[in-house]
Amino acid sequence: MAEPKATACVLCECNCGITVDVEGRRLAKIRGDKAHPASEGYTCEKAMRLDLYQNGAHRITTPLKRLPDGTYEEIDWHTAIEEIAAKLSAVKEERGGDKIFFYGGGGQGNHLGSANALALRGALGSVYHSNALAQEKTGEIWVDGRLYGGHTKGDFEHAEVLVFVGKNPWQSHSFPRARPVLKQVAADPNRSMIVIDPRVSETAAMAEHHLRVLPGRDAWLMAALVGVIVQEDLVDAGFIATHTAGYDEVHAAFLACDVTAFAEISGVDEGEIRAAARRIATASSVCVYEDLGIQQAPNSTLVSYLNKLLWIVTGNFGRPGTMYLHSSFALLAGGSGSGSPRKKPGALARAQKQLMTRTVTAAATAISATLPALARVPQLRTKVEAGASALLDAMVPLAGGMLGGGAGSGGGRTSPVTGAKIIGGLIPCNSIADEILTDHPNRFRAMWIDSSNPAHSLADSPRFRAAMRALDLSVVIDVAFTETAREADYVLPAASQYEKPEATFFNFEFPRNVFHLRKPIMEPLEGTLPEPEIYARLLRRMNVVDDAVIARLRRAAQTGRDTFGATFLATVAADPALGKIAPYLLYETLGTTLDPRLRGAAVLWGVSQMCAMSNAKAVARAGFTGSGLTPGNRLFDAIIESPTGVVFTDDTWDDVWHYVKRKDRRFTIAIDTLLDQVRDLPTARTEWTTPEFPLVLAAGERRSFTANTIFRNPDWRRRDRDGRLRISAEDATALRLTDGGPARLVTANGSATVIIEVSDMMRAGNIALPNGLGLDYPTGDGTTTSAGVSPNELTCLELKDEFAGTPWHKHVPARLEAIEDAVLT
Ligand SMILES: Nc1nc2c(c(=O)[nH]1)N[C@H]1C(S)=C(S)[C@@H](COP(=O)(O)OP(=O)(O)OC[C@H]3O[C@@H](n4cnc5c(=O)[nH]c(N)nc54)[C@H](O)[C@@H]3O)O[C@H]1N2
Ligand SMILES: Nc1nc2c(c(=O)[nH]1)N[C@H]1C(S)=C(S)[C@@H](COP(=O)(O)OP(=O)(O)OC[C@H]3O[C@@H](n4cnc5c(=O)[nH]c(N)nc54)[C@H](O)[C@@H]3O)O[C@H]1N2
Ligand code: SF4
Ligand SMILES: [Mo]
């Protein structure tokens, strides 16, 4: 048998390293890859079933075109590219490139497509884009931006106290080797876990302190926790004095909090709140993880802020076992967005300027060293500067370290029709349909969707479907004929993540951060193409660059990395517009010198350069040394050559403060608008249920057999095939519902038949459905099978965070009706 092949699991953001025995085209045997520097051999049970993603009736193998009667015609790739290129160009000509909206660009493990898509966005002059982060993380990103301008994560492996707020890592993971870490903490009498969750989740059941908050009341609970710490003077005064600005205002706001009253509102005993607060304040190290339980619920941006105050006022940052800021290989959100001419705010402008100075210096050095003739050109520096600026504008969304999302990266921008706040460069997901279903002259006219299933994953699926149908053009790239694909004008079949080079940009580790370029472990399924080739075919058809430019860059690429780098930068300097299509140029030139199977990874040369320039010292410590473009070249080569993950930055805990994007390296902790909300909490709204909809539905719980919509075949679920609705015994009895029996679930937006699971995990008044169900799967005889409820047939667009516009998937007012047996039979 052939050697096992190294790759990674693509089901959640951890992307654990795996090795696979490939039999024919089957992923036959899957094991954890001990050589992977982040996961060290760990996987959960879901990875074992990856063959159900790779192979099955869901795979599409030919481009599809929607006909007026709603059916789909199979067309060849040439026709698809011709027609789509022509239609995109027509929308650009007639309506403007800013009317072409890009959505998605990667699930949990495939972000190379979005890196390559930047070139198409650049060529079309598209300005607006979004992805799933804008329905969960943008509130947190906004707060992060205000506090320190970066993304934080915790060193859970070494923390004494682990705090999980609306987060169930036993099922959802999100940090390496989550289950072994949780087990260790639970077994260690010196360490504690504090879980804030209305439900006795698997993680809550292991916790020493489970604060069983009422759904949606986290703001009062979190404010009470911070209140106790401030009022009992348990703060880390030294840390606050040295590392923060604005504490007086924070202090005053929390001194005034009525802990007793807030405890009452939150539904948690005051004594339990005080005990948890004291445990946090007296621990030697604490890490906090907040996730969907609060990010998709009332007051989510405020709660993100309160969570962060909890670890900031207790000084839990920048030491082993605490919170940290980290380098990034590439940014997932943020950046000015290609083609965006908007004015940039202070912090962002400064960060960009610093990076640009470094880029220009590196480019000028490289050019003088390798192309002496060019170095004598008058005003070379100015030209290089113009080129570097254009390149930066294109690559900023990919380049790590210097932006860190946040308020900055939105630049105060708003969406064109509804005026929704753009955070991290992303349009709030709940606003997308309204940016289309209107007669406003600036409405979006075309939508490009890659690696995402928004007609299933965004609130109010019916309205999203209507929006797709209202467009002049919609194109979906996917491996499957998804709920979104079946609303699109064109569907393009992608090679799977095991058939092409792929990578995740979820690289959040510290002090050693890891990037893994997965090598294809088999050829693309016949009829499918990797995304970089799809983008290249379109751009070739659109004639975006002179053949002579490509020829010159190809010659340079054949000579070597240094010559290529210098020529590339000089070329972009001479014609800054080329910076906007940099990923395409790299694919067409440098890409042709790589192993043909890795051509789609050529864009990573640009990302490696940006990463090396913006994290120079840490990249050097990781072994990528030299001057000019050399460290970036070396990093790129290591990534291309290594079968597994590569440590790209090696930091020390002293360096962590360099990631604070403030001149004084201090956290700016007083956020006035949110402190106003803290002051208003005593009278703020607490209820969204009504007599008509008295229950709070959490629409989308992570269970052992859920994985967003990546696994479509319902047979992958060994248990809970139908994704039952969990309900407390108390509610079930009151509503005359029985375990295993059916019920009708009704919300303001829709209704569905569910199967009941009476569960002692649930609090009375709170019910839960899993995420990612209700997917159609072809049976092979022309019909389809489906299991469970598609949660967003039940959700609405109006219930959303007032700052970030993120949906309240965890807080959907609902009612349950018994279905009489007579009706069923
Ligand atoms: N198995 C599996 N793992 C996954 C995924 C998957 O689909 N399946 N998806 C991945 C993705 S994309 C993400 S974003 C993460 C999400 O990971 P999590 O956020 O951990 O997942 P959820 O189960 O959606 O929500 C977490 C908890 O929030 C609780 N909750 C509900 N309402 C409230 C509330 O009002 N307050 C509080 N404090 N808690 C509340 C729920 O009871 C639940 O235990 O998981 C990732 N991992
Ligand atoms: N009600 C409710 N809604 C939710 C949630 C919830 O808890 N409740 N959770 C939300 C969260 S946190 C998230 S992150 C989103 C996730 O929602 P989406 O961003 O829509 O993500 P996925 O379901 O992972 O969709 C990934 C798509 O990529 C396709 N795909 C897989 N591999 C490839 C490939 O190599 N190339 C291409 N082009 N496509 C590929 C898959 O077939 C799938 O259609 O859902 C959100 N929606
Ligand atoms: S689902 Fe997540 S935790 Fe489980 S093996 Fe895959 S990447 Fe690792
Ligand atoms: Mo997510």
Side-chain angles (χ1 to χ4, degrees):
M1 157 141 9
E3 281 283 290
K5 300 195 172 170
T7 178
C9 174
V10 298
L11 298 177
C12 85
E13 69 174 66
C14 290
N15 287 263
C16 299
I18 55 172
T19 63
V20 183
D21 293 343
V22 181
E23 287 175 6
R25 299 191 60 86
R26 240 168 47 79
L27 309 183
K29 184 153 179 73
I30 295 173
R31 299 178 195 81
D33 181 3
K34 296 199 177 71
H36 193 276
S39 57
E40 300 170 8
Y42 174 79
T43 70
C44 74
E45 70 283 352
K46 295 192 292 298
M48 303 304 135
R49 320 222 71 192
L50 278 164
D51 191 58
L52 291 172
Y53 156 75
Q54 167 61 26
N55 293 304
H58 61 287
R59 291 291 304 269
I60 45 173
T61 53
T62 181
L64 300 167
K65 177 185 179 180
R66 189 184 174 84
L67 300 177
D69 68 359
T71 60
Y72 282 84
E73 175 189 23
E74 298 189 349
I75 55 174
D76 59 46
W77 273 105
H78 177 75
T79 310
I81 298 293
E82 290 288 314
E83 292 189 11
I84 294 170
K87 288 184 182 175
L88 283 172
S89 302
V91 177
K92 178 179 149 85
E93 295 289 295
E94 288 159 27
R95 310 288 187 189
D98 61 335
K99 308 300 183 309
I100 306 174
F101 177 64
F102 277 69
Y103 187 83
Q108 301 293 303
N110 56 322
H111 298 142
L112 277 194
S114 64
N116 283 284
L118 284 175
L120 182 61
R121 281 163 57 186
L124 292 171
S126 165
V127 173
Y128 299 102
H129 70 116
S130 197
N131 59 42
L133 291 172
Q135 55 85 62
E136 52 173 323
K137 298 279 173 281
T138 32
E140 182 181 14
I141 291 173
W142 188 83
V143 172
D144 280 341
R146 297 294 296 265
L147 291 173
Y148 32 63
H151 175 261
T152 52
K153 208 173 162 186
D155 178 13
F156 294 93
E157 183 139 19
H158 302 108
E160 181 184 323
V161 173
L162 281 60
V163 186
F164 297 111
V165 191
K167 170 80 192 163
N168 179 19
W170 182 266
Q171 293 300 9
S172 63
H173 292 82
S174 306
F175 55 88
R177 304 173 49 256
R179 287 178 186 170
V181 171
L182 295 178
K183 278 193 208 157
Q184 273 166 21
V185 176
D188 187 338
N190 298 316
R191 300 173 77 186
S192 302
M193 227 188 301
I194 298 174
V195 173
I196 300 176
D197 197 311
R199 190 170 68 100
V200 190
S201 67
E202 290 82 355
T203 312
M206 301 169 82
E208 193 177 318
H209 300 263
H210 176 197
L211 307 183
R212 210 171 175 189
V213 65
L214 282 164
R217 305 282 178 89
D218 295 82
W220 289 268
L221 176 62
M222 296 303 307
L225 282 170
V226 180
V228 170
I229 289 167
V230 166
Q231 292 166 21
E232 296 188 7
D233 203 16
L234 298 171
V235 298
D236 183 338
F239 181 93
I240 291 171
T242 319
H243 295 303
T244 72
Y247 181 65
D248 286 350
E249 210 188 320
V250 171
H251 180 255
F254 288 93
L255 212 53
C257 281
D258 183 341
V259 172
T260 308
F262 284 10
E264 173 86 29
I265 295 172
S266 76
V268 180
D269 176 72
E270 183 182 342
E272 284 182 39
I273 293 177
R274 290 193 183 273
R278 289 170 194 148
R279 184 71 184 94
I280 291 168
T282 53
S284 62
S285 58
V286 180
C287 285
V288 182
Y289 204 117
E290 61 161 79
D291 216 339
L292 303 184
I294 62 104
Q295 292 184 341
Q296 296 183 336
N299 303 306
S300 64
T301 303
L302 172 62
V303 179
S304 291
Y305 175 53
L306 296 171
N307 284 334
K308 284 160 204 283
L309 283 181
L310 193 62
W311 57 258
I312 292 172
V313 299
T314 52
N316 281 294
F317 179 85
R319 292 176 286 114
T322 67
M323 303 298 291
Y324 56 76
L325 287 149
H326 55 82
S327 63
S328 337
F329 186 60
L331 275 193
L332 290 152
S336 57
S338 41
S340 155
R342 302 300 191 285
K343 196 166 155 281
K344 292 157 191 132
L348 176 71
R350 270 199 305 282
Q352 280 213 29
K353 204 168 159 209
Q354 272 174 16
L355 185 71
M356 173 133 122
T357 312
R358 271 185 241 142
T359 313
V360 171
T361 311
T365 315
I367 290 170
S368 327
T370 36
L371 300 175
L374 204 84
R376 287 192 292 274
V377 172
Q379 285 106 32
L380 175 73
R381 218 181 151 80
T382 326
K383 282 192 172 176
V384 173
E385 196 160 316
S389 162
L391 186 67
L392 263 183
D393 216 37
M395 300 299 270
V396 144
L398 293 177
M402 73 292 188
L403 288 173
S409 25
R413 290 172 65 204
T414 52
S415 66
V417 172
T418 65
K421 194 185 285 156
I422 293 180
I423 299 174
L426 308 173
I427 293 211
C429 290
N430 276 41
S431 302
I432 294 170
D434 293 340
E435 301 288 332
I436 298 166
L437 291 171
T438 161
D439 54 11
H440 193 290
N442 291 338
R443 66 187 181 273
F444 295 144
R445 305 290 184 142
M447 176 148 53
W448 187 275
I449 301 172
D450 184 349
S451 306
S452 191
N453 191 2
H456 183 279
S457 59
L458 300 192
D460 197 347
S461 302
R463 191 158 167 86
F464 196 87
R465 291 193 289 265
M468 282 187 73
R469 291 294 174 79
L471 293 162
D472 296 348
L473 174 68
S474 56
V475 182
V476 166
I477 308 183
D478 205 295
V479 296
F481 193 55
T482 64
E483 291 64 28
T484 306
R486 65 194 64 166
E487 306 300 327
D489 296 331
Y490 292 89
V491 185
L492 301 177
S496 86
Q497 297 182 49
Y498 297 103
E499 299 167 347
K500 65 192 173 205
E502 255 308 349
T504 178
F505 292 154
F506 292 137
N507 318 111
F508 302 149
E509 299 313 309
F510 185 92
R512 288 152 61 84
N513 207 348
V514 176
F515 178 78
H516 181 190
L517 173 66
R518 285 133 46 197
K519 315 301 183 290
I521 60 176
M522 64 182 83
E523 291 297 311
L525 184 61
E526 204 179 326
T528 69
L529 289 176
E531 290 81 352
E533 177 63 22
I534 299 176
Y535 289 113
R537 288 189 185 189
L538 277 165
L539 290 162
R540 268 175 225 149
R541 184 66 195 83
M542 290 161 63
N543 273 327
V544 293
V545 57
D546 275 357
D547 291 348
V549 171
I550 300 283
R552 187 168 70 235
L553 288 171
R554 270 192 194 165
R555 277 196 306 277
Q558 273 145 13
T559 315
R561 295 272 188 273
D562 284 337
T563 311
F564 175 75
T567 314
F568 184 83
L569 289 168
T571 302
V572 177
D575 182 359
L578 292 176
K580 297 202 187 309
I581 54 163
Y584 169 65
L585 289 182
L586 291 170
Y587 183 82
E588 292 290 66
T589 62
L590 183 68
T592 60
T593 66
L594 304 175
D595 172 344
R597 299 173 325 132
L598 298 184
R599 185 171 175 182
V603 64
L604 296 180
W605 178 82
V607 185
S608 299
Q609 290 297 346
M610 292 292 165
C611 175
M613 287 171 197
S614 50
N615 303 283
K617 283 186 187 151
V619 166
R621 270 194 303 267
F624 309 106
T625 53
S627 61
L629 300 176
T630 308
N633 285 335
R634 289 191 172 148
L635 175 57
F636 176 66
D637 286 331
I639 286 167
I640 289 285
E641 280 153 25
S642 170
T644 185
V646 170
V647 174
F648 66 92
T649 44
D650 192 349
D651 274 300
T652 64
W653 283 98
D654 297 337
D655 300 324
V656 75
W657 291 98
H658 293 291
Y659 293 110
V660 180
K661 307 286 175 332
R662 299 282 180 273
K663 237 190 193 143
D664 60 4
R665 305 279 180 219
R666 278 171 184 263
F667 294 176
T668 40
I669 61 172
I671 303 180
D672 288 335
T673 38
L674 295 179
L675 285 173
D676 281 345
Q677 289 212 334
V678 172
R679 286 184 279 264
D680 291 344
L681 277 176
T683 53
R685 182 168 177 184
T686 56
E687 285 292 339
W688 281 267
T689 52
T690 58
E692 194 187 359
F693 300 112
L695 299 167
V696 174
L697 166 70
E701 184 179 274
R702 268 66 189 166
R703 298 184 183 170
S704 40
F705 291 100
T706 70
N708 289 338
T709 68
I710 312 171
F711 280 145
R712 298 189 65 86
N713 184 342
D715 290 340
W716 84 282
R717 280 180 220 105
R718 293 225 164 99
R719 281 175 279 115
D720 195 27
R721 188 179 192 277
D722 302 311
R724 295 185 174 192
L725 179 111
R726 287 180 172 157
I727 184 170
S728 69
E730 192 182 330
D731 286 339
T733 309
L735 293 164
R736 295 183 300 113
L737 302 173
T738 50
D739 193 55
R744 188 117 202 106
L745 174 63
V746 188
T747 68
N749 241 49
S751 67
T753 302
V754 294
I755 310 287
I756 294 293
E757 177 187 333
V758 177
S759 166
D760 48 18
M761 288 180 145
M762 301 310 294
R763 221 189 134 123
N766 197 192
I767 54 178
L769 274 178
N771 69 313
L773 273 83
L775 307 172
D776 284 349
Y777 187 74
T779 51
D781 63 4
T783 61
T784 57
T785 170
S786 175
V789 176
S790 184
N792 291 310
E793 300 294 329
L794 302 167
T795 56
C796 70
L797 294 173
E798 293 72 33
L799 292 179
K800 61 178 179 185
D801 185 67
E802 63 176 290
F803 281 92
T806 41
W808 293 0
H809 289 325
K810 297 288 182 257
H811 206 89
V812 183
R815 74 165 176 270
L816 275 168
E817 296 167 356
I819 298 180
E820 301 305 332
D821 285 350
V823 177
L824 273 182
T825 50

